[in-house]
């Protein structure tokens, strides 16, 4: 290459996009130049600088002579502005990584980011800079450097030194004076109405259990759980009605709560199947089952007071308090800055009402009404038994494995195509359901965490919302085309995810029935932060399954991802909770296999037409023949 001229070639090696450059080139400049001008999935994973580009006899680059890259430790590019320093701290905190391990040129999704953590980063950037930064902006600008450029461009500055004030119209969390009877949050409203319909139902119980191995101090454990209930107001809140029939948050003082209101010495095995009357009962119960060498702590929460994301802060607070109690003193953690009742008031003030067409929530609610208009009442999957007029909510579980190597293929495919692992799974599940139901209109429910602000990470509470992901699956489309449509569907839905699901049910579900879940009968989840084994003084604590969850949907397809320290997806396992009213075990096992079949085929060749993917096993092919 002549002086000042750069020759370049790019090719795929072992699922990596490798760029080769020669001439007047510097790796950091090449990567930054590519990151500013290319879609995220087109930015090379590694850059190799050559003295001379190998050429063939025709003068073209001889690609076969390009050397394999030597993959040493990745380069960490430090932040170069105050804006980048603020953003890199947000990203590192959300991903639970050291700031020094994050490069400003890394794609957020290449270092362990996913849909839910993207929601948190977007919310924190919006709060920090008082700008409307959404998940879609994060997908379009996934590196810290790209996010900083987006922020600086809108602020009209080269950088900022400190977070901007929120403005008089956006109150701080916890700053709104509490009325004598605090209202329920939008998410709690739905839980309350469902509970009034059938207080004895365990359908909205959240059970979890921990196996305790070692020397257990039962008195200290019970005192530690009392400490947790004292720390989190929502765990000592009941929800009675006022004279007009409206529920409110009746928060008991810590002194009013006695152990007998939540601790059970007998029939602990039945705790998970007993319902709560949330107007009178505290939303937590616990007890211990003694086993041969171990003990099993069983805790049951009602969904009006907690969600799946609440288990991490609850367990963390419990084990910290237990360590303190066994040492002979009360836990010394600083009090929580805000409580759940403050959050409910803040959401009501900031988002407005869904009934107000000019509010943020009202505008998003209108979008949902258009998005889900004319949605079929039920996804008619082939079932083993006819649907009963009233669903029993009895469930059973099927586990299915994802072959070794397929997880990393999903990860590599997602990075190359600018999507997340969840979107790849969503596309595969939508294809399978479309084929089984003989329908192109596929609606899946999925939970969104609803915890964008950093102050909410340490709270127990009902933050989760359900969104409906509606995809048109054309049997003549390629797998890559379905992925592209799913990407747009998911980004639009996550951007409007704060509209309460119960409001959509109220305005959109034309047929209300006790036979099936409204709007979507299949739920898809991807868990990427499971709680592992924990050690406390004298004990090893292992989370265990606390009974079969209720089948609130026909099918609840849950995937659990394991990632290594670099954020790479290393393993994926599947679990389907199914309604025994409708399905047999073998049918659901076959469904899991079909999801794996579509993933395997589609990832191997994303130009495959989804209607041509073979979903029949040997037995089914023989029966057809």
């Amino acid at each position: 290459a002549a002086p000042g001229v750069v020759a370049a070639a790019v090719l795929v090696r072992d699922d990596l996009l490798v760029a080769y450059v020669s001439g007047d080139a510097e790796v950091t400049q090449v990567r930054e130049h590519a990151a500013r001008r290319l879609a995220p999935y087109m930015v090379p994973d590694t850059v190799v600088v050559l003295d001379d580009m190998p050429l063939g006899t025709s003068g073209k680059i001889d690609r076969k002579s390009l050397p394999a890259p030597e993959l040493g430790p990745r380069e960490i590019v430090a932040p170069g502005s105050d804006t980048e320093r603020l953003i890199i701290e947000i990203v590192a905190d959300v991903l639970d990584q050291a700031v020094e391990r994050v490069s400003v040129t890394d794609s957020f999704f290449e270092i362990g980011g996913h849909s839910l953590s993207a929601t948190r980063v977007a919310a924190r950037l919006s709060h920090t800079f008082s700008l409307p930064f959404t998940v879609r902006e994060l997908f379009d600008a996934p590196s810290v450097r790209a996010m900083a450029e987006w922020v600086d461009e809108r602020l009209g500055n080269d950088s900022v030194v400190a977070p901007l004030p929120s403005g008089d119209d956006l109150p701080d969390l916890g700053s709104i004076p509490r009325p004598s009877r605090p209202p329920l949050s939008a998410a709690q409203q739905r839980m309350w109405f469902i509970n009034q319909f059938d207080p004895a139902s365990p359908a909205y119980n959240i059970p979890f259990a921990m196996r305790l191995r070692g020397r257990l101090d039962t008195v200290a454990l019970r005192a530690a759980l009392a400490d947790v209930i004292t720390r989190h107001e929502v765990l000592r809140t009941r929800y009675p009605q006022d004279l007009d029939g409206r529920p409110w948050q009746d928060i008991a003082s810590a002194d009013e709560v006695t152990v007998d209101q939540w601790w059970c010495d007998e029939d602990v095995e039945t705790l998970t199947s007993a319902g709560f009357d949330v107007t009178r009962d505290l939303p937590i119960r616990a007890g211990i089952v003694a086993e041969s060498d171990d003990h099993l702590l069983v805790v049951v929460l009602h969904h009006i007071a907690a969600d799946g994301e609440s288990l991490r802060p609850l367990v963390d607070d419990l084990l910290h308090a237990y360590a303190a109690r066994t040492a002979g003193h009360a836990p010394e953690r600083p009090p929580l800055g805000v409580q759940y009742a403050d959050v409910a008031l803040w959401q009501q003030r900031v988002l407005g009402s869904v009934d107000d067409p000019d509010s943020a929530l009202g505008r998003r609610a209108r979008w949902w009404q258009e998005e889900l208009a004319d949605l079929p009442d039920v996804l008619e999957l082939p079932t083993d038994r006819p649907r009963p007029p009233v669903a029993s909510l009895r469930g059973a579980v099927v586990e299915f494995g994802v072959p070794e190597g397929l997880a990393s293929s999903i990860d590599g495919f997602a990075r190359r195509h600018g999507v997340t692992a969840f979107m790849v799974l969503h596309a595969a599940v939508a294809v399978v359901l479309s084929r089984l139901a003989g329908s192109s209109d596929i609606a899946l429910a999925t939970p969104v965490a609803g915890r964008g602000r950093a102050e909410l990470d340490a709270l127990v509470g009902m933050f989760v919302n359900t969104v409906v992901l509606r995809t048109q699956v054309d049997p003549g489309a390629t797998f890559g085309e379905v992925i592209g449509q799913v990407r747009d569907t998911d980004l639009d839905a996550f951007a409007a995810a704060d509209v309460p699901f119960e409001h959509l049910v109220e305005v959109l579900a034309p047929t209300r029935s006790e036979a099936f879940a409204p709007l979507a009968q299949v739920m898809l989840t991807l868990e990427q932060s499971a709680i592992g084994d924990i050690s406390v003084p004298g004990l090893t604590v292992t989370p265990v399954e606390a009974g079969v969850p209720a089948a609130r949907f026909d099918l609840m397809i849950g995937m659990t991802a394991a990632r290594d320290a670099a954020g790479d997806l290393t393993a994926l396992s599947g679990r389907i909770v199914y309604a025994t009213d409708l399905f047999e075990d073998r049918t659901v096992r076959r469904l899991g296999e079909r999801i794996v079949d579509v993933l395997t085929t589609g990832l191997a060749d994303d130009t495959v037409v989804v209607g041509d993917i073979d979903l029949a096993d040997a037995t089914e092919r023989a029966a057809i023949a």
Side-chain angles (χ1 to χ4, degrees):
V5 177
V6 175
V10 180
L11 64 157
V12 177
R13 283 182 181 269
D14 298 324
D15 274 345
L16 290 176
L17 201 60
V18 182
Y20 296 87
V21 296
S22 68
D24 189 11
E26 199 273 322
V27 170
T28 302
Q29 292 178 344
V30 170
R31 286 188 59 83
E32 291 182 2
H33 181 83
R36 282 195 297 269
R37 287 164 174 79
L38 298 176
Y41 61 88
M42 298 174 69
V43 177
D45 295 291
T46 188
V47 179
V48 179
V49 179
L50 305 173
D51 293 332
D52 295 294
M53 191 67 69
L55 304 177
T57 53
S58 65
K60 295 181 178 180
I61 294 173
D62 182 4
R63 292 175 176 268
K64 292 183 179 178
S65 298
L66 293 170
E70 295 181 8
L71 300 177
R74 66 188 179 92
E75 182 184 8
I76 304 294
V77 181
S81 71
D82 293 321
T83 308
E84 289 183 358
R85 274 186 279 277
L86 282 170
I87 295 174
I88 208 168
E89 288 174 2
I90 291 170
V91 169
D93 184 52
V94 168
L95 295 182
D96 196 21
Q97 294 190 20
V99 172
E100 298 76 21
R101 290 179 51 84
V102 180
S103 171
V104 296
T105 57
D106 285 340
S107 167
F108 174 75
F109 301 103
E110 290 185 359
I111 55 175
H114 49 79
S115 300
L116 292 182
S117 54
T119 302
R120 286 182 163 168
V121 168
R124 293 186 191 184
L125 257 72
S126 297
H127 174 64
T128 300
F129 299 106
S130 294
L131 289 171
F133 190 89
T134 69
V135 174
R136 184 174 286 280
E137 271 77 48
L138 180 51
F139 270 78
D140 292 339
S143 71
V144 169
R145 180 144 292 168
M147 289 183 234
E149 289 177 356
W150 187 96
V151 168
D152 288 339
E153 182 180 331
R154 278 148 188 82
L155 292 178
N157 303 317
D158 291 331
S159 67
V160 295
V161 177
L164 297 176
S166 300
D168 295 336
D169 59 336
L170 189 59
D172 287 336
L173 269 172
S175 67
I176 302 172
R178 285 193 194 179
S180 58
R181 294 186 170 184
L184 277 61
S185 70
Q188 287 182 318
Q189 288 275 1
R190 178 169 177 250
M191 291 297 104
W192 190 87
F193 283 114
I194 290 172
N195 183 258
Q196 294 313 288
F197 184 73
D198 185 7
S201 171
Y204 288 88
N205 286 2
I206 302 178
F208 75 98
M210 295 189 294
R211 177 161 284 113
L212 310 171
R213 293 189 177 93
R215 189 178 66 258
L216 176 65
D217 184 336
T218 305
V219 174
L221 182 65
R222 196 160 49 224
L225 199 48
D227 291 328
V228 174
I229 294 171
T230 297
R231 180 172 174 79
H232 295 274
E233 284 182 353
V234 74
L235 297 179
R236 42 188 167 87
T237 301
R238 300 176 180 89
Y239 304 88
Q241 292 172 274
D242 62 19
L243 294 177
D244 295 325
R246 290 181 303 234
W248 56 285
Q249 296 197 46
D250 182 13
I251 304 167
S253 68
D255 295 339
E256 295 176 61
V257 177
T258 57
V259 170
D260 60 289
Q261 292 172 350
W262 52 269
W263 184 263
C264 302
D265 287 314
E266 299 178 355
D267 301 323
V268 179
E269 295 86 347
T270 65
L271 271 186
T272 60
S273 58
F276 290 83
D277 180 348
V278 300
T279 64
R280 298 184 302 170
D281 301 331
L282 291 181
I284 181 171
R285 294 190 189 119
I288 287 178
V289 179
E291 299 181 343
S292 54
D293 298 320
D294 310 327
H295 292 81
L296 195 68
L297 171 66
V298 179
V299 180
V300 186
L301 306 165
H302 192 275
H303 216 340
I304 200 167
D307 53 22
E309 294 266 317
S310 298
L311 297 185
R312 183 173 291 277
L314 190 149
V315 170
D316 183 52
D317 285 341
L318 175 62
L319 298 181
H320 182 274
Y322 178 76
R325 289 297 178 182
T326 55
H329 60 83
E332 297 173 349
R333 281 195 160 171
L336 294 167
V338 294
Q339 293 283 348
Y340 187 81
D342 301 314
V343 178
L345 287 167
W346 184 86
Q347 288 177 340
Q348 190 180 70
R349 174 79 63 86
V350 171
L351 294 176
S353 168
V354 288
D355 300 319
D356 177 2
D358 295 324
S359 72
L361 218 51
R363 289 191 296 272
R364 291 168 192 167
R366 282 201 307 278
W367 179 85
W368 276 113
Q369 290 181 46
E370 296 171 6
E371 176 73 6
L372 302 181
D374 303 319
L375 184 68
D377 290 343
V378 182
L379 180 65
E380 295 287 2
L381 294 170
T383 60
D384 297 305
R385 284 180 285 278
R387 186 183 297 274
V390 177
S392 73
L393 303 180
R394 287 190 293 271
V397 177
V398 157
E399 311 272 352
F400 68 96
V402 175
E404 189 176 350
L406 185 55
S408 60
S409 296
I410 291 171
D411 216 22
F413 182 94
R415 291 174 178 176
R416 291 194 303 276
H417 290 77
V419 297
T420 62
F422 176 84
M423 293 172 183
V424 177
L425 297 171
H426 177 189
V429 170
V431 167
V432 172
L433 296 180
S434 174
R435 293 280 298 274
L436 292 178
S439 170
S440 61
D441 196 351
I442 303 300
L444 289 172
T446 196
V448 290
R451 290 173 183 255
R453 297 280 293 265
E455 306 98 305
L456 307 183
D457 288 351
L459 281 187
V460 173
M462 174 49 171
F463 295 95
V464 73
N465 191 24
T466 300
V467 297
V468 179
L469 308 174
R470 186 182 189 182
T471 308
Q472 298 294 328
V473 182
D474 178 357
T478 66
F479 186 68
E481 289 168 342
V482 174
I483 290 268
Q485 186 183 352
V486 160
R487 180 186 190 273
D488 289 339
T489 295
D490 291 2
L491 287 177
D492 288 341
F494 293 144
D498 42 22
V499 176
F501 178 75
E502 59 274 7
H503 173 76
L504 299 181
V505 171
E506 183 180 326
V507 299
L508 286 169
T511 305
R512 300 301 299 274
S513 171
E514 296 179 60
F516 52 83
L519 301 182
Q521 292 77 51
V522 180
M523 174 170 269
L524 174 64
T525 63
L526 177 60
E527 171 62 58
Q528 309 208 56
S529 57
I531 300 172
D533 285 11
I534 313 155
S535 293
V536 291
L539 285 178
T540 299
V541 182
T542 307
V544 297
E545 189 66 46
V548 178
R552 300 197 297 267
F553 295 81
D554 294 355
L555 297 164
M556 297 168 68
I557 303 169
M559 307 294 289
T560 300
R563 292 187 178 273
D564 60 19
D568 294 328
L569 192 63
T570 55
L572 200 63
S573 58
R575 179 175 184 266
I576 303 176
V577 177
Y578 64 93
T580 55
D581 290 347
L582 305 176
F583 298 105
E584 296 281 359
D585 178 274
R586 56 182 168 75
T587 303
V588 181
R589 289 187 185 281
R590 187 72 193 101
L591 173 69
E593 293 167 1
R594 284 172 165 144
I595 293 170
V596 172
D597 289 344
V598 170
L599 285 169
T600 303
T601 305
L603 295 176
D605 177 12
D606 67 354
T607 65
V608 66
V609 174
V610 295
D612 293 342
I613 298 176
D614 187 3
L615 296 184
D617 63 14
T619 304
E620 290 163 336
R621 279 191 287 272
I624 293 168

